[in-house]
Amino acid sequence: MKASEIRDIRKMTPEQLNEKLTGLKKDLFYLRMQHATNQLDNPVKIRETKHDIARVKTVLRELSASGKQ
């Protein structure tokens, strides 16, 4: 994920972040299913998606700690 994408995540509202988190979790599920059935071309996508989920959760945690949520 590029620095500009991380900045975009920080500009999102908590509702948008929750929607993005839900989408990333769905993506991770489908990637795991593809990996289990040997249809996944690039297994690194699983790790990247996990990192993206962690980034979104971190921003959500920061927002809740600062009281902006």
Side-chain angles (χ1 to χ4, degrees), residues 27-53:
D27 291 345
L28 182 60
F29 173 77
Y30 290 125
L31 287 171
R32 285 180 173 162
M33 292 299 293
Q34 287 178 352
H35 186 65
T37 59
N38 293 326
Q39 295 176 349
L40 186 61
D41 295 331
N42 188 2
V44 176
K45 290 181 182 180
I46 293 174
R47 183 171 21 143
E48 290 173 353
T49 304
K50 286 181 179 180
H51 286 251
D52 292 343
I53 289 170

Side-chain angles (χ1 to χ4, degrees), residues 1-12 20 55:
M1 184 172 266
K2 298 179 185 173
S4 62
E5 294 173 2
I6 295 170
R7 276 188 237 117
D8 292 340
I9 288 176
R10 291 199 179 275
K11 292 178 184 177
M12 291 181 175
K20 184 163 184 72
R55 285 184 186 100

